[in-house]
Amino acid sequence: MTRVQIPTETIASPLVNKPIEMYIFLDPLCSACWDLQPIIRKLQVEYGQYFTVRTVLSTQLSNLNTVCTKPNEHLVKSNGDYLDMEHPVFPSIAVKAAEFQGKKAALRFFNKIQEHLFLKTKNVTSFSVLQELAIEVNIDVQEFSNDFRSKECARSFQSDLNITCEMEVTSFPSIVFFNENIEDEGIKVSGIYPYEIYVQILNEMLYEEPHKQQPPSLEKLFERFYSLTTSEIACYYNISEPQAERELKKRLLLQQVDRLVLQDTVLWRLK
């Protein structure tokens, strides 16, 4: 953990109502970013009244110099554009493109990329695959494709890269915490730590012990996070995983949720 000065040019507006702002630096191709997700969600469920989250998408610097490849050069659209191209930066740009259709759409899209990365079922660096994922998460694929190629999307991603550079973030995932006192230094946490460490940081930034909230209904959790693991649900409601599994199977029988098995992990989502 390190102390960082707040780069004033990156803060779009003062904090409103919530005294902490968390900058979360993620690379969609980073498997550790998938591992961080349950920790961030638990913080949001239990202490979300104290902080806002700004997700900053980035990539390893070496990826920026990678040449774009064309695995299927025989696939050409009538306007001359290749139907399929690959690049390790495409997933980050695609999430920024999805963001033009709303923060929730971008979150669903990011989660979908990570699911397929975790499963190793699809090449998420392929533009045509990213279009397929856009359809899977119910965002307008034509609008997504147009935004992906737009100058506005490129500027949005460049802004995230600038913030990454200014805050000297070199590894993913990383989190930078700022409180409402602009004179205080922020706290940068690189990598993944036990959940209690993040609560301790909130405590330090607030100058008081934060009050834990009760979890919302399961339906509201699904609406917020799109998909959840059995262990996450058990953790939020302080029940055993077998108990959580039984409750979810009841909803599965009622066709209220879908069940997806990812290797040794089970994901649940609303139908």
Side-chain angles (χ1 to χ4, degrees), residues 151-162:
K151 292 180 180 178
E152 292 78 12
C153 185
R155 280 196 291 265
S156 181
F157 181 51
Q158 184 61 54
S159 174
D160 280 14
L161 293 178
N162 291 342

Side-chain angles (χ1 to χ4, degrees), residues 15-37:
L15 300 181
V16 179
N17 298 327
K18 298 183 181 183
I20 305 294
E21 186 160 27
M22 290 168 51
Y23 281 67
I24 304 179
F25 294 83
L26 302 173
D27 177 354
L29 297 183
C30 168
S31 59
C33 293
W34 171 277
D35 297 331
L36 179 69
Q37 180 175 263

Side-chain angles (χ1 to χ4, degrees), residues 43-110:
L43 282 173
Q44 290 175 312
V45 168
E46 295 188 343
Y47 300 105
Q49 73 271 32
Y50 294 108
F51 65 86
T52 57
V53 169
R54 178 169 179 181
T55 300
V56 182
L57 292 167
S58 196
T59 186
Q60 297 294 337
L61 292 178
S62 59
N63 289 338
L64 297 175
N65 298 320
T66 303
V67 176
C68 197
T69 59
K70 304 164 185 173
N72 299 308
E73 298 217 15
H74 62 286
L75 297 175
V76 183
K77 288 185 177 181
S78 58
N79 63 0
D81 289 340
Y82 283 94
L83 188 64
D84 196 10
M85 300 181 79
E86 294 179 8
H87 196 283
V89 176
F90 277 4
S92 292
I93 297 173
V95 176
K96 299 303 291 186
E99 201 172 73
F100 284 97
Q101 298 186 45
K103 297 287 186 181
K104 287 186 176 180
L107 178 61
R108 292 198 308 271
F109 192 79
F110 185 93

